[in-house]
């Protein structure tokens, strides 16, 4: 994972960038990417009690690049069966319409939204973490008997403000005619991404639970509404940090003792049973990479 360094504050340009970014946000001048049409339609489908497999297949098939990536992921080790999948209908038959819809949604978001020139390595790390969070949010949702589709969106989009800020900083470099260190950029990203994430989710007309997750996932007890979903998002975010290295016993114990885990009755035994999922998630992340 990327790290923000204490040396960020030593960058003499961080203050003018902070002032300009804050003004961008407060004056509603932040450039929020347009939600691709296909994303809205896929979200509507996967949130429907009975996802229409035929409609989903036709929707994905309209974008040949997207269809190709979806088929590639469907043939990855995490889903692969005895036979090679060659059509979207076969993919739906093997892994289900809702899962396929989430794959298509994730691939589209990765290509259209999670990007910022100059911060490619950071974006890749953010994407790995957020995609893992979506999957683990579903796992936690199953443990507490909550809708996995809604929680998947909370996990997938809770840090969507980060790439939007990084792109804004690139724009500000030209506007201010000044440079900014990577460390300083990451510091500003961490400071403002929650409020920006809320604004993005609001403009995209995402469910209220997603907005709350964006704003409060780091401190779930501060959420007034959808506290259960925000707590799940926090736990999923923390568990996703283990995708590069399995957690030790003490780390799992600390997570099980967090107020969010206690409130949801997520115990250490539950977390230990999820650890084997990390290896499958690594394979899934590799398959999902557009690089």
């Amino acid at each position: 994972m990327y790290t923000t360094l204490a040396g960020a504050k030593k960058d003499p340009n961080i203050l003018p960038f902070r002032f300009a970014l804050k003004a961008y946000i407060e004056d509603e001048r932040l450039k929020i990417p347009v939600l691709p049409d296909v994303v809205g339609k896929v979200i509507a489908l996967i949130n429907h009690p009975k996802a229409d497999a035929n409609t989903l297949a036709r929707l994905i098939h309209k974008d040949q690049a997207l269809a190709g990536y979806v088929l590639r992921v469907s043939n990855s080790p995490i889903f692969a069966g005895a036979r090679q999948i060659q059509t979207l209908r076969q993919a739906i038959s093997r892994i289900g319409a809702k899962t396929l819809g989430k794959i298509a949604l994730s691939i589209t978001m990765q290509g259209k939204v999670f990007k910022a020139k100059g911060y490619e390595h950071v974006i890749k790390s953010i994407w790995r973490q957020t995609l893992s969070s979506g999957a683990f949010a579903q796992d936690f949702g199953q443990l507490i008997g909550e809708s996995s589709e809604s929680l998947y969106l909370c996990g997938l989009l809770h840090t969507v403000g980060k790439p939007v800020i990084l792109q804004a900083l690139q724009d500000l470099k030209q506007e201010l005619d000044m440079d900014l260190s990577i460390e300083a950029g990451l510091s500003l990203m961490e400071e403002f991404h929650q409020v920006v994430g809320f604004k993005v989710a609001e403009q995209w007309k995402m469910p209220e639970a997603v907005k709350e997750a964006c704003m409060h996932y780091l401190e779930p007890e501060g959420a007034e509404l959808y506290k259960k979903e925000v707590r799940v998002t926090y736990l999923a975010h923390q568990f996703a940090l283990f995708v590069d290295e399995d957690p030790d016993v003490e780390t799992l114990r600390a997570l099980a003792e967090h107020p969010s885990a206690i409130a949801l009755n997520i115990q250490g035994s539950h977390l230990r049973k999820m650890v084997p999922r990390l290896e499958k998630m690594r394979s899934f992340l590799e398959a999902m990479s557009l690089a």
Side-chain angles (χ1 to χ4, degrees):
M1 296 294 292
Y2 63 88
T3 56
T4 53
L5 304 178
K9 297 187 182 300
K10 295 181 180 179
D11 187 331
N13 293 338
I14 192 171
L15 288 180
F17 270 91
R18 185 183 185 279
F19 180 82
L21 180 61
K22 193 168 184 289
Y24 260 33
I25 296 169
E26 293 177 349
D27 298 341
E28 305 291 343
R29 289 188 290 130
L30 199 67
K31 293 181 182 178
I32 295 176
V34 177
L35 188 68
D37 184 57
V38 66
V39 170
K41 293 179 179 178
V42 169
I43 289 174
L45 280 172
I46 65 176
N47 278 321
H48 196 277
K50 294 184 179 179
D52 187 331
N54 291 323
T55 302
L56 180 61
R58 288 195 299 270
L59 180 62
I60 297 174
H61 200 50
K62 289 180 180 179
D63 187 327
Q64 289 300 307
L66 174 60
Y69 278 119
V70 168
L71 288 176
R72 188 188 77 177
V73 174
S74 300
N75 282 304
S76 65
I78 195 170
F79 296 120
R83 292 185 177 182
Q84 181 88 354
I85 291 176
Q86 297 182 339
T87 68
L88 291 173
R89 290 295 303 168
Q90 290 174 345
I92 290 172
S93 177
R94 178 177 293 177
I95 66 179
K98 287 185 180 292
T99 298
L100 196 72
K102 291 168 189 171
I103 291 172
L105 169 61
S106 302
I107 290 172
T108 304
M109 294 294 290
Q110 181 184 8
K112 304 293 186 181
V113 177
F114 280 75
K115 57 182 183 179
K117 187 177 180 180
Y119 290 97
E120 287 83 2
H121 69 293
V122 178
I123 290 293
K124 182 177 180 180
S125 182
I126 293 172
W127 177 248
R128 283 171 58 84
Q129 206 275 340
T130 195
L131 186 59
S132 301
S133 295
F136 293 135
Q138 292 181 107
D139 291 343
F140 285 119
Q142 290 175 1
L143 287 174
I144 64 174
E146 289 293 317
S147 166
S148 62
E149 280 69 43
S150 174
L151 291 175
Y152 179 81
L153 290 176
C154 288
L156 182 70
L157 299 175
H158 72 288
T159 56
V160 71
K162 290 185 176 183
V164 174
I165 287 177
L166 293 180
Q167 185 56 56
L169 292 176
Q170 287 299 97
D171 296 339
L172 281 172
K173 286 182 181 181
Q174 296 184 3
E175 183 176 314
L176 300 175
D177 193 23
M178 301 170 70
D179 202 6
L180 185 71
S181 68
I182 293 291
E183 293 82 5
L186 296 183
S187 177
L188 293 174
M189 177 191 76
E190 292 294 344
E191 180 180 357
F192 291 105
H193 79 274
Q194 288 169 269
V195 65
V196 170
F198 180 89
K199 288 180 178 292
V200 173
E202 190 172 46
Q203 183 163 310
W204 286 354
K205 295 180 171 56
M206 287 291 151
E208 292 297 322
V210 176
K211 299 178 189 177
E212 286 289 291
C214 289
M215 182 64 87
H216 298 290
Y217 79 94
L218 287 176
E219 296 180 350
E221 300 311 306
E224 296 183 6
L225 303 172
Y226 302 97
K227 188 166 290 189
K228 184 181 295 184
E229 288 85 347
V230 178
R231 285 168 172 157
V232 168
T233 304
Y234 170 84
L235 293 176
H237 176 89
Q238 295 301 317
F239 202 81
L241 296 176
F242 307 142
V243 293
D244 293 317
E245 185 176 356
D246 285 358
D248 56 31
V249 174
E250 289 302 319
T251 302
L252 286 180
R253 180 180 294 126
L255 186 56
E257 292 174 352
H258 188 273
S260 290
I262 294 172
L264 296 173
N265 197 28
I266 301 294
Q267 301 172 13
S269 59
H270 296 133
L271 298 176
R272 289 192 294 274
K273 289 179 180 179
M274 286 178 60
V275 171
R277 284 267 289 143
L278 291 168
E279 189 58 42
K280 290 185 177 181
M281 179 53 62
R282 291 167 192 137
S283 296
F284 183 56
L285 291 171
E286 184 177 348
M288 287 289 288
S289 175
L290 297 185

